[in-house]
Amino acid sequence: LDWAQADIIHSNGSDDSITAEHDGYRSLKAIHRRTLQRQNPNQWTVIDHILPSVKSKSVLHSYVHWLLPDFPWTIQDSNLELSSPGGTIRISVTPLVVQCHHLPKINSIQIIRAGETLHGSIPSKPEMGWFSPTYFVKQPALSFCVGFYAEPPYSMITIWRLG
């Protein structure tokens, strides 16, 4: 099988930061690299880099997609706020300006629950917005999806603020 291969690129030896990448987008001539950083116990940063695997001037569409618990929510632009039993969770997804990188443009922001689009204009797929804790069981969940496009390399940042 032609399975995607992943590698850890950098780890600082603690639980504060790790960077890994995979080649699952070979057919698009792109590599996805993700960095996870703990800023403090209540804030995490996820940086997604879309890198070209060959020289190309092609524009790529990509999505930051988070499957979240079915909590009450509000949204403003690409900032989502969830009201959880443990406190407010704030998730912010934006383009990241990096020197020598292209600035991706946001072209869609969606929230889907149980196959139904609750926010956004793109029709949802019936399999989106579900969580399956075990076989033959599915429960509604929130699918938060922010779409971007640009010529690689480009980066997106998600900031999670908990509590």
Side-chain angles (χ1 to χ4, degrees):
L1 296 174
D2 192 19
W3 291 64
Q5 299 299 308
D7 291 304
I8 294 175
I9 304 300
H10 169 76
S11 177
N12 67 359
S14 69
D15 295 334
D16 292 340
S17 178
I18 189 167
T19 300
E21 70 181 26
H22 71 87
D23 64 358
Y25 300 117
R26 288 185 300 272
S27 64
L28 300 174
K29 298 178 177 58
I31 295 169
H32 176 221
R33 181 176 293 163
R34 176 172 277 181
T35 299
L36 174 64
Q37 300 170 329
R38 181 177 64 174
Q39 308 301 327
N40 61 57
N42 295 320
Q43 184 172 322
W44 292 79
T45 300
V46 180
I47 304 171
D48 289 294
H49 304 280
I50 305 301
L51 308 169
S53 60
V54 297
K55 274 198 173 249
S56 172
K57 295 287 184 184
S58 298
V59 170
L60 287 180
H61 293 265
S62 57
Y63 299 88
V64 173
H65 181 222
W66 299 105
L67 189 61
L68 306 164
D70 189 20
F71 295 145
W73 59 275
T74 58
I75 189 164
Q76 183 174 4
D77 299 321
S78 59
N79 302 297
L80 179 68
E81 190 170 289
L82 301 173
S83 298
S84 82
T88 302
I89 300 169
R90 290 177 182 86
I91 305 165
S92 174
V93 181
T94 57
L96 178 64
V97 178
V98 178
Q99 189 175 8
C100 300
H101 279 59
H102 299 89
L103 183 64
K105 293 178 177 49
I106 295 176
N107 65 343
S108 65
I109 300 169
Q110 281 193 271
I111 296 179
I112 300 168
R113 180 188 181 272
E116 178 184 346
T117 298
L118 303 179
H119 177 83
S121 58
I122 299 172
S124 63
K125 296 179 181 176
E127 64 271 13
M128 294 186 74
W130 294 98
F131 165 71
S132 181
T134 186
Y135 290 107
F136 302 110
V137 174
K138 67 180 184 178
Q139 300 169 350
L142 296 177
S143 170
F144 178 42
C145 187
V146 180
F148 295 87
Y149 68 96
E151 180 185 315
Y154 61 90
S155 303
M156 296 86 64
I157 184 168
T158 304
I159 299 174
W160 292 73
R161 292 178 183 91
L162 312 172

